[in-house]
Amino acid sequence: MPRREGMERKDLLAANVKIFKSQGKALAEYAKPTTKVIVVGNPANTNAFIAAKYAVGKIPAKNFSAMTRLDHNRALAQLALKTGTTIGDVKNVIIWGNHSGTQFPDVTHATVKKNGNETDAYSAVGDNAFLQGPFIATVQKRGGVIIEKRKLSSAMSAAKAACDHIHDWHFGTKAGEHVSMAVPSDGSYGIPQGLIFSFPVTIESGEWKIVQGLSFDDFAKGKIAATTKELEEERDDALKACDDANI
Protein backbone atom coordinates (compact mmCIF):
# COMPACT_ATOMS: atom_id res chain seq x y z
CA MET A 1 0.00 0.00 0.00
CA PRO A 2 1.76 3.18 -1.10
CA ARG A 3 2.06 6.30 0.97
CA ARG A 4 -0.16 9.15 -0.18
CA GLU A 5 -0.20 12.85 0.61
CA GLY A 6 -1.21 13.55 4.19
CA MET A 7 -0.41 10.03 5.37
CA GLU A 8 1.97 9.40 8.21
CA ARG A 9 4.25 6.38 8.10
CA LYS A 10 2.40 4.89 11.08
CA ASP A 11 -0.81 5.01 9.04
CA LEU A 12 0.86 2.63 6.62
CA LEU A 13 2.08 0.24 9.27
CA ALA A 14 -1.12 -1.60 10.17
CA ALA A 15 -2.18 -2.14 6.55
CA ASN A 16 1.23 -3.16 5.28
CA VAL A 17 2.05 -5.48 8.16
CA LYS A 18 -0.85 -7.71 7.10
CA ILE A 19 0.37 -7.68 3.50
CA PHE A 20 3.98 -8.51 4.35
CA LYS A 21 3.01 -11.18 6.87
CA SER A 22 1.08 -12.98 4.13
CA GLN A 23 3.95 -12.46 1.67
CA GLY A 24 6.46 -13.91 4.11
CA LYS A 25 4.28 -16.97 4.68
CA ALA A 26 3.83 -17.43 0.92
CA LEU A 27 7.59 -17.22 0.39
CA ALA A 28 8.11 -19.81 3.12
CA GLU A 29 5.68 -22.15 1.41
CA TYR A 30 6.56 -21.70 -2.26
CA ALA A 31 9.92 -19.95 -2.77
CA LYS A 32 13.38 -21.45 -3.08
CA PRO A 33 15.63 -21.06 -0.01
CA THR A 34 18.08 -19.16 -2.23
CA THR A 35 15.47 -16.45 -2.96
CA LYS A 36 16.65 -12.90 -2.31
CA VAL A 37 14.17 -10.20 -1.41
CA ILE A 38 14.26 -6.42 -1.67
CA VAL A 39 11.43 -4.53 0.02
CA VAL A 40 10.61 -1.08 -1.35
CA GLY A 41 7.11 -0.47 0.07
CA ASN A 42 7.09 1.71 3.18
CA PRO A 43 7.76 1.42 6.01
CA ALA A 44 10.37 -0.59 4.14
CA ASN A 45 12.68 -1.65 6.98
CA THR A 46 9.85 -2.91 9.14
CA ASN A 47 8.00 -4.51 6.23
CA ALA A 48 11.19 -6.43 5.42
CA PHE A 49 11.51 -7.44 9.07
CA ILE A 50 7.96 -8.86 9.06
CA ALA A 51 8.36 -10.67 5.74
CA ALA A 52 11.62 -12.23 6.94
CA LYS A 53 10.05 -13.26 10.25
CA TYR A 54 7.30 -15.24 8.50
CA ALA A 55 9.64 -16.78 5.93
CA VAL A 56 12.01 -18.03 8.62
CA GLY A 57 12.97 -21.68 8.39
CA LYS A 58 12.88 -21.58 4.60
CA ILE A 59 14.69 -18.40 3.58
CA PRO A 60 17.51 -17.05 5.77
CA ALA A 61 17.02 -13.53 7.17
CA LYS A 62 20.22 -12.39 5.43
CA ASN A 63 18.41 -12.83 2.11
CA PHE A 64 15.97 -10.04 3.03
CA SER A 65 16.81 -6.38 2.55
CA ALA A 66 15.03 -3.04 2.45
CA MET A 67 15.93 -0.33 -0.01
CA THR A 68 17.83 2.70 1.20
CA ARG A 69 19.66 3.01 -2.11
CA LEU A 70 17.23 5.75 -3.14
CA ASP A 71 18.36 7.81 -0.15
CA HIS A 72 21.97 6.88 -0.93
CA ASN A 73 21.57 8.10 -4.53
CA ARG A 74 19.94 11.31 -3.33
CA ALA A 75 22.87 11.93 -1.00
CA LEU A 76 25.32 11.40 -3.86
CA ALA A 77 23.35 13.86 -6.00
CA GLN A 78 23.25 16.55 -3.30
CA LEU A 79 27.01 16.29 -2.73
CA ALA A 80 27.67 16.43 -6.47
CA LEU A 81 25.47 19.51 -6.85
CA LYS A 82 27.16 21.25 -3.94
CA THR A 83 30.69 20.54 -5.19
CA GLY A 84 30.06 21.10 -8.90
CA THR A 85 30.88 17.49 -9.76
CA THR A 86 28.87 14.47 -10.94
CA ILE A 87 27.58 11.52 -8.95
CA GLY A 88 30.34 9.41 -10.50
CA ASP A 89 32.86 11.60 -8.67
CA VAL A 90 31.29 10.99 -5.25
CA LYS A 91 31.57 7.73 -3.34
CA ASN A 92 31.12 6.14 0.06
CA VAL A 93 28.25 8.17 1.43
CA ILE A 94 26.32 6.19 4.02
CA ILE A 95 22.66 6.01 4.94
CA TRP A 96 22.32 4.77 8.50
CA GLY A 97 19.09 3.42 9.95
CA ASN A 98 15.53 3.72 8.75
CA HIS A 99 14.19 4.67 5.32
CA SER A 100 12.34 7.55 6.96
CA GLY A 101 12.77 11.08 8.21
CA THR A 102 15.10 9.83 10.97
CA GLN A 103 17.63 8.30 8.58
CA PHE A 104 21.17 9.63 8.95
CA PRO A 105 22.85 10.53 5.65
CA ASP A 106 26.52 10.49 6.65
CA VAL A 107 29.37 11.88 4.56
CA THR A 108 32.10 11.53 7.18
CA HIS A 109 33.73 8.73 5.19
CA ALA A 110 32.75 9.96 1.71
CA THR A 111 35.14 11.31 -0.89
CA VAL A 112 34.74 13.67 -3.82
CA LYS A 113 36.93 13.72 -6.93
CA LYS A 114 37.34 17.19 -8.42
CA ASN A 115 39.86 18.40 -10.98
CA GLY A 116 41.57 15.02 -10.79
CA ASN A 117 42.06 15.16 -7.02
CA GLU A 118 40.17 13.04 -4.49
CA THR A 119 39.44 14.63 -1.14
CA ASP A 120 37.17 14.01 1.81
CA ALA A 121 33.62 15.33 1.48
CA TYR A 122 33.91 17.84 4.32
CA SER A 123 36.95 19.46 2.72
CA ALA A 124 35.37 19.37 -0.74
CA VAL A 125 32.20 21.09 0.46
CA GLY A 126 33.89 23.45 2.93
CA ASP A 127 30.64 24.05 4.81
CA ASN A 128 30.15 21.93 7.91
CA ALA A 129 26.88 23.66 8.78
CA PHE A 130 25.43 22.64 5.42
CA LEU A 131 26.52 19.01 5.79
CA GLN A 132 25.08 18.74 9.31
CA GLY A 133 21.90 20.68 8.51
CA PRO A 134 20.32 21.34 5.09
CA PHE A 135 22.07 18.41 3.42
CA ILE A 136 20.68 15.90 5.91
CA ALA A 137 17.21 17.49 5.89
CA THR A 138 17.05 17.50 2.08
CA VAL A 139 17.83 13.79 1.82
CA GLN A 140 15.54 12.89 4.73
CA LYS A 141 12.56 14.82 3.39
CA ARG A 142 13.01 14.29 -0.34
CA GLY A 143 10.33 11.62 -0.53
CA GLY A 144 7.77 13.89 1.10
CA VAL A 145 8.67 16.79 -1.21
CA ILE A 146 8.21 14.58 -4.26
CA ILE A 147 4.79 13.46 -3.00
CA GLU A 148 3.87 17.11 -2.45
CA LYS A 149 4.87 18.01 -6.01
CA ARG A 150 3.63 14.90 -7.86
CA LYS A 151 0.78 13.93 -5.52
CA LEU A 152 2.34 10.48 -5.83
CA SER A 153 5.46 8.82 -4.42
CA SER A 154 8.77 8.51 -6.28
CA ALA A 155 8.56 6.32 -9.38
CA MET A 156 11.51 6.40 -11.79
CA SER A 157 14.11 7.33 -9.17
CA ALA A 158 12.89 4.52 -6.92
CA ALA A 159 12.97 2.05 -9.80
CA LYS A 160 16.51 3.13 -10.66
CA ALA A 161 17.57 2.68 -7.03
CA ALA A 162 16.05 -0.81 -6.95
CA CYS A 163 18.04 -1.71 -10.07
CA ASP A 164 21.23 -0.35 -8.47
CA HIS A 165 20.54 -2.31 -5.27
CA ILE A 166 20.01 -5.61 -7.10
CA HIS A 167 22.87 -4.98 -9.53
CA ASP A 168 25.37 -4.59 -6.71
CA TRP A 169 23.92 -7.47 -4.70
CA HIS A 170 24.42 -9.71 -7.72
CA PHE A 171 27.65 -8.37 -9.22
CA GLY A 172 29.32 -6.98 -6.08
CA THR A 173 30.68 -3.60 -5.09
CA LYS A 174 33.75 -1.98 -6.61
CA ALA A 175 37.05 -2.24 -4.76
CA GLY A 176 37.34 0.48 -2.13
CA GLU A 177 33.65 1.34 -2.29
CA HIS A 178 30.61 0.53 -0.21
CA VAL A 179 26.90 1.11 -0.69
CA SER A 180 23.93 1.45 1.64
CA MET A 181 21.56 -1.47 2.24
CA ALA A 182 19.05 -2.08 5.02
CA VAL A 183 19.86 -5.59 6.23
CA PRO A 184 19.42 -7.61 9.44
CA SER A 185 21.80 -6.30 12.08
CA ASP A 186 24.41 -8.69 13.41
CA GLY A 187 24.98 -6.39 16.39
CA SER A 188 27.49 -4.18 14.59
CA TYR A 189 27.79 -0.65 15.97
CA GLY A 190 25.50 -1.59 18.87
CA ILE A 191 22.42 -1.95 16.65
CA PRO A 192 20.05 -4.56 18.12
CA GLN A 193 20.41 -8.00 16.60
CA GLY A 194 17.92 -8.72 13.83
CA LEU A 195 16.73 -5.14 13.37
CA ILE A 196 16.56 -4.27 9.66
CA PHE A 197 18.91 -1.30 9.63
CA SER A 198 20.68 0.52 6.84
CA PHE A 199 24.43 0.00 6.99
CA PRO A 200 27.38 0.55 4.68
CA VAL A 201 28.07 -2.80 3.04
CA THR A 202 30.52 -4.36 0.64
CA ILE A 203 29.31 -7.23 -1.52
CA GLU A 204 31.18 -10.15 -3.01
CA SER A 205 29.79 -13.29 -4.68
CA GLY A 206 26.25 -12.27 -3.82
CA GLU A 207 26.93 -11.93 -0.09
CA TRP A 208 26.86 -8.58 1.70
CA LYS A 209 29.11 -7.73 4.61
CA ILE A 210 28.74 -4.76 6.96
CA VAL A 211 31.73 -2.40 6.85
CA GLN A 212 33.47 -2.51 10.21
CA GLY A 213 35.64 -0.14 12.20
CA LEU A 214 34.02 3.20 11.32
CA SER A 215 34.14 5.86 14.01
CA PHE A 216 31.38 8.26 15.11
CA ASP A 217 31.46 11.68 16.70
CA ASP A 218 28.77 12.75 19.18
CA PHE A 219 26.66 14.28 16.39
CA ALA A 220 26.57 10.98 14.49
CA LYS A 221 25.90 8.98 17.66
CA GLY A 222 22.84 11.11 18.38
CA LYS A 223 21.47 10.68 14.86
CA ILE A 224 22.01 6.91 14.91
CA ALA A 225 20.38 6.61 18.35
CA ALA A 226 17.28 8.46 17.08
CA THR A 227 16.79 6.28 14.01
CA THR A 228 17.43 3.11 16.05
CA LYS A 229 14.76 4.16 18.55
CA GLU A 230 12.24 4.73 15.76
CA LEU A 231 12.98 1.32 14.21
CA GLU A 232 12.60 -0.45 17.56
CA GLU A 233 9.23 1.26 18.08
CA GLU A 234 8.10 0.35 14.55
CA ARG A 235 9.20 -3.24 15.08
CA ASP A 236 7.27 -3.51 18.33
CA ASP A 237 4.13 -1.93 16.81
CA ALA A 238 4.40 -4.25 13.80
CA LEU A 239 4.74 -7.36 15.95
CA LYS A 240 1.64 -6.33 17.90
CA ALA A 241 -0.23 -5.75 14.63
CA CYS A 242 0.85 -9.22 13.47
CA ASP A 243 -0.56 -10.77 16.62
CA ASP A 244 -3.82 -8.86 16.06
CA ALA A 245 -4.03 -9.78 12.36
CA ASN A 246 -5.97 -12.95 11.77
CA ILE A 247 -4.01 -14.33 8.80
Side-chain angles (χ1 to χ4, degrees), residues 162-195:
C163 290
D164 291 344
H165 179 114
I166 294 298
H167 176 278
D168 288 348
W169 201 355
H170 182 77
F171 290 104
T173 48
K174 297 177 183 176
E177 295 188 26
H178 54 247
V179 295
S180 302
M181 282 177 69
V183 295
S185 173
D186 60 1
S188 292
Y189 301 105
I191 306 305
Q193 189 100 14
L195 203 64

Side-chain angles (χ1 to χ4, degrees), residues 83-139:
T83 56
T85 59
T86 70
I87 57 171
D89 297 316
V90 183
K91 66 181 183 182
N92 293 346
V93 301
I94 301 170
I95 304 297
W96 297 97
N98 202 1
H99 175 59
S100 76
T102 68
Q103 65 176 262
F104 174 40
D106 179 16
V107 302
T108 307
H109 308 282
T111 61
V112 178
K113 189 174 183 180
K114 189 172 184 179
N115 300 324
N117 298 315
E118 191 170 83
T119 185
D120 68 277
Y122 270 86
S123 297
V125 172
D127 186 346
N128 290 15
F130 167 79
L131 290 174
Q132 295 192 354
F135 166 76
I136 291 174
T138 297
V139 177

Side-chain angles (χ1 to χ4, degrees), residues 13-244:
L13 193 60
N16 277 320
V17 156
K18 294 176 184 178
I19 294 168
F20 283 86
K21 179 177 180 179
S22 64
Q23 292 294 311
K25 292 173 80 171
L27 286 165
E29 187 168 354
Y30 299 110
K32 293 179 180 179
T34 53
T35 296
K36 290 183 177 177
V37 180
I38 172 176
V39 174
V40 177
N42 284 317
N45 296 55
T46 300
N47 287 343
F49 174 84
I50 294 300
K53 172 181 169 62
Y54 286 94
V56 73
K58 179 71 171 291
I59 303 171
K62 68 181 178 66
N63 285 17
F64 283 81
S65 64
M67 189 175 81
T68 52
R69 188 59 173 266
L70 179 53
D71 310 299
H72 183 100
N73 287 351
R74 288 168 174 165
L76 292 175
Q78 291 301 314
L79 268 186
L81 284 168
K82 188 69 173 178
T83 56
T85 59
T86 70
I87 57 171
D89 297 316
V90 183
K91 66 181 183 182
N92 293 346
V93 301
I94 301 170
I95 304 297
W96 297 97
N98 202 1
H99 175 59
S100 76
T102 68
Q103 65 176 262
F104 174 40
D106 179 16
V107 302
T108 307
H109 308 282
T111 61
V112 178
K113 189 174 183 180
K114 189 172 184 179
N115 300 324
N117 298 315
E118 191 170 83
T119 185
D120 68 277
Y122 270 86
S123 297
V125 172
D127 186 346
N128 290 15
F130 167 79
L131 290 174
Q132 295 192 354
F135 166 76
I136 291 174
T138 297
V139 177
Q140 287 175 333
K141 298 174 183 177
R142 194 67 173 170
V145 170
I146 289 169
I147 290 171
E148 180 186 337
K149 300 295 185 186
R150 294 186 71 234
K151 309 305 179 188
L152 295 165
S153 58
S154 307
M156 187 63 77
S157 57
K160 172 63 165 61
C163 290
D164 291 344
H165 179 114
I166 294 298
H167 176 278
D168 288 348
W169 201 355
H170 182 77
F171 290 104
T173 48
K174 297 177 183 176
E177 295 188 26
H178 54 247
V179 295
S180 302
M181 282 177 69
V183 295
S185 173
D186 60 1
S188 292
Y189 301 105
I191 306 305
Q193 189 100 14
L195 203 64
I196 303 284
F197 194 93
S198 184
F199 289 100
V201 301
T202 55
I203 306 164
E204 187 175 355
S205 302
E207 299 293 332
W208 54 263
K209 186 176 181 181
I210 297 170
V211 175
Q212 299 294 321
L214 301 179
S215 57
F216 304 123
D217 58 16
D218 289 339
F219 176 80
K221 288 176 182 175
K223 293 292 185 185
I224 290 173
T227 197
T228 303
K229 181 175 183 288
E230 180 184 59
L231 276 169
E232 289 180 301
E233 290 171 353
E234 276 190 15
R235 175 199 62 196
D236 294 344
D237 289 345
L239 289 172
K240 184 178 185 303
C242 279
D243 291 339
D244 294 343

